[in-house]
Amino acid sequence: MEKHEVRVLARYEAENATLGGDATIENSVAGYSGTGYVNINNTGTITFDVTMEEAGFYSIQIGYNGMFGEKRQNLSVNGTGLGEVAFPETTEFTQIEGAKKVRLNAGSNTVTISSSWGWMLVDYIQIEDYVEIPFNIDPELVNPNASDEAKNLYEFLKENFQKKVISGVMTLDSMVEPEWLYENTGKYPAILGLDFMHNVGKDTEWFVNDPNRVHQVADDAEEYYNRNGIPVICWHWRDPSKQTSAFYTEDTNFDINVIYDTTSDGYKEIISDIDVIAAELKRLTDKHVPVLWRPLHEAAGGWFWWGAKGPQPLKDLWHILYERLVNYHGLNNLVWIWTADADDAAINWYPGHDYVDLVGIDIYPPAGDHNSQVTAFEKLKEIFEGRKILALSECGSIPDPDEMIADGALWSYFMPWYGEHTIPGEGTPHNSVEFWKKIMHHELVITLDEMPAHP
């Protein structure tokens, strides 16, 4: 990607900022600028007073030293949280882009770094010009034999990307969340999120042996598509060995590296599970229903077994899954979604442009925080070279449509998780009823009643 020269507009030293919590000024580690640096420790905050001549979009660089592993700290501007920033491990002072694109006012502003995970030395922040990376979305799906329905769905997503945002919700107990939305806002979401969680794995007999349940995911996908909606399906893939019913790394010993021995029981178990899911997806293929397909999600976090052994086996498993579903089973109705992180290491996990149609990210901000998530949006655009449509594939609190417009961070779609992430519970709601009413009636947001009829 073409590089652009940027102007450094100002630098603010951390030792001159306002400190809170257990943040302390130090100078024992060499290599800092100014007269020292700030150790953010465990609960520290550093607030910089930033003065700008003109209002507009700017980039924030952060000078730091992050010894003993990767760190993650919170960044906010003028009281609005921008999410976590990942700081790679380093043994010397260096600089990282904290936020590619932020709105700053003419005159006074505040930029705050607050402790999230891992103590870290903060040297300075630097304000630079924002240089926009243009989108150049891949024109075709990665599957050259994609069905007409999948192609039409992709065209719809492309046509609306950066113009509109498509509404969605996740459901596990068939249709509870979309029905609640309709009862409280008068609108259904355009996207329905589903999960093959119970279709394979130990202790799922109650589901797969019940003729009224075993095809529930496929049936719900078909029913919603026939209402002009869009089904998106993920897969919390339980331990293929059936030794446990778990998908979390800490709860299973299943090792993804079995994929490198095609004669092993583990490899055969993986293929067997894929074939079960393929049969459900084929029900949709046969009925000409396209699917936004989001397997192997959140791999880089390492908390699921498919991400527990690092990037390479994960990428290889993605390729196996793609080849088995597309080339072996002939499932041409899938639009493939990769779930990424918004940090530089995300590219190491990426299966490749030839295996991914859309890029999503799962973000769960504090309850009631409706910022646009522009920092993640811009980072994903940069990492994936502006070639992929970007979606908020899971979330808790949904970005405010007005904030998305103001920041130019128009996600293709949003999909809050089921339960209290969609339906307000006790305490501070992720999305209040009043906020839902605003979202579902906002001119930016596409709801089910506004979806075009299928060709």
Side-chain angles (χ1 to χ4, degrees):
M1 183 174 291
E2 182 182 356
K3 298 293 183 181
H4 299 271
E5 294 295 326
V6 297
R7 294 181 302 162
V8 176
L9 303 175
R11 176 179 286 197
Y12 297 87
E13 296 291 339
E15 65 271 21
N16 299 326
T18 301
L19 306 186
D22 60 0
T24 55
I25 298 173
E26 300 174 0
N27 59 13
S28 59
V29 178
Y32 55 84
S33 67
T35 60
Y37 53 84
V38 171
N39 189 336
I40 201 168
N41 287 302
N42 297 310
T43 64
T45 63
I46 310 170
T47 299
F48 300 85
D49 293 318
V50 173
T51 302
M52 304 302 299
E53 292 185 3
E54 298 180 356
F57 291 116
Y58 298 92
S59 172
I60 298 177
Q61 308 292 320
I62 302 174
Y64 79 103
N65 189 323
M67 299 174 282
F68 309 116
E70 179 187 84
K71 320 293 181 183
R72 290 181 176 266
Q73 315 298 355
N74 296 314
L75 181 66
S76 62
V77 172
N78 293 328
T80 298
L82 301 181
E84 283 189 335
V85 178
F87 294 85
E89 179 180 10
T90 175
T91 57
E92 58 187 21
F93 283 94
T94 188
Q95 181 174 294
I96 192 174
E97 184 174 81
K100 178 75 174 179
K101 182 182 184 183
V102 296
R103 277 182 288 154
L104 295 178
N105 304 319
S108 297
N109 300 268
T110 58
V111 176
T112 300
I113 301 171
S114 57
S115 177
S116 177
W117 185 83
W119 65 269
M120 189 182 81
L121 313 181
V122 179
D123 193 9
Y124 60 84
I125 64 168
Q126 186 166 285
I127 310 300
E128 298 181 355
D129 285 325
Y130 163 66
V131 178
E132 184 173 7
I133 298 171
F135 278 108
N136 183 27
I137 302 300
D138 289 347
E140 307 291 341
L141 291 169
V142 294
N143 179 1
N145 298 314
S147 67
D148 289 341
E149 293 79 18
K151 291 177 181 178
N152 291 335
L153 174 54
Y154 188 57
E155 286 301 315
F156 175 78
L157 297 175
K158 285 196 301 177
E159 288 171 5
N160 284 283
F161 186 50
Q162 293 296 276
K163 298 174 186 174
K164 294 282 189 174
V165 176
I166 307 168
S167 60
V169 296
M170 181 71 189
T171 188
L172 279 189
D173 188 4
S174 184
M175 301 298 177
V176 167
E177 284 74 12
E179 290 296 341
W180 179 90
L181 266 187
Y182 181 75
E183 291 171 5
N184 286 273
T185 71
K187 298 271 193 174
Y188 285 103
I191 289 177
L192 180 70
L194 302 162
D195 194 335
F196 281 132
M197 181 186 297
H198 302 310
N199 284 85
V200 295
K202 184 176 182 288
D203 300 326
T204 58
E205 291 85 357
W206 60 272
F207 188 89
V208 298
N209 291 335
D210 184 339
N212 296 317
R213 281 177 168 159
V214 65
H215 303 307
Q216 177 179 307
V217 173
D219 289 346
D220 287 348
E222 179 189 1
E223 189 269 341
Y224 218 69
Y225 180 74
N226 288 337
R227 295 168 62 183
N228 297 323
I230 301 172
V232 55
I233 304 179
C234 67
W235 181 15
H236 280 85
W237 190 347
R238 299 178 188 273
D239 176 356
S241 74
K242 315 299 188 291
Q243 297 300 306
T244 72
S245 61
F247 36 75
Y248 287 116
T249 301
E250 64 182 5
D251 298 323
T252 175
N253 293 321
F254 188 79
D255 189 340
I256 186 177
N257 284 306
V258 296
I259 63 174
Y260 297 116
D261 180 0
T262 58
T263 66
S264 68
D265 289 340
Y267 178 85
K268 294 173 184 177
E269 290 159 349
I270 281 179
I271 297 301
S272 176
D273 280 359
I274 295 173
D275 289 348
V276 170
I277 298 303
E280 293 303 305
L281 291 171
K282 190 175 188 304
R283 291 172 62 87
L284 296 172
T285 299
D286 292 344
K287 295 180 179 180
H288 304 284
V289 177
V291 173
L292 295 181
W293 173 232
R294 194 173 72 95
L296 304 180
H297 62 293
E298 299 178 9
W303 44 77
F304 295 128
W305 63 261
W306 51 87
K309 302 298 182 179
Q312 194 57 54
L314 178 279
K315 290 187 288 188
D316 291 338
L317 178 57
W318 181 279
H319 297 157
I320 289 170
L321 180 64
Y322 181 93
E323 295 296 328
R324 189 74 179 179
L325 293 181
V326 173
N327 296 327
Y328 182 84
H329 286 288
L331 300 178
N332 297 321
N333 62 328
L334 307 178
V335 178
W336 290 74
I337 302 177
W338 169 247
T339 311
D341 282 348
D343 59 54
D344 291 330
I347 195 63
N348 299 329
W349 293 81
Y350 186 47
H353 287 318
D354 293 341
Y355 289 89
V356 172
D357 295 308
L358 271 68
V359 169
I361 188 170
D362 297 354
I363 301 179
Y364 288 85
D369 180 350
H370 300 295
N371 84 82
S372 70
Q373 303 298 341
V374 62
T375 300
F377 187 89
E378 289 291 319
K379 192 64 179 179
L380 292 179
K381 187 188 344 179
E382 178 182 14
I383 293 170
F384 301 105
E385 303 173 319
R387 290 181 53 177
K388 302 298 178 179
I389 294 171
L390 304 179
L392 198 54
S393 45
E394 283 183 31
C395 64
S397 298
I398 301 165
D400 189 312
D402 293 328
E403 293 295 314
M404 286 193 277
I405 292 170
D407 287 338
L410 274 60
W411 300 93
S412 174
Y413 69 83
F414 59 77
M415 194 188 73
W417 204 238
Y418 69 93
E420 66 177 8
H421 296 97
T422 293
I423 302 172
E426 297 181 359
T428 303
H430 293 275
N431 302 290
S432 68
V433 173
E434 289 305 312
F435 186 68
W436 267 120
K437 290 178 180 178
K438 174 182 178 177
I439 294 170
M440 300 299 276
H441 292 272
H442 198 284
E443 62 181 3
L444 179 70
V445 177
I446 298 174
T447 50
L448 184 64
D449 58 299
E450 299 169 317
M451 289 291 291
H454 303 308

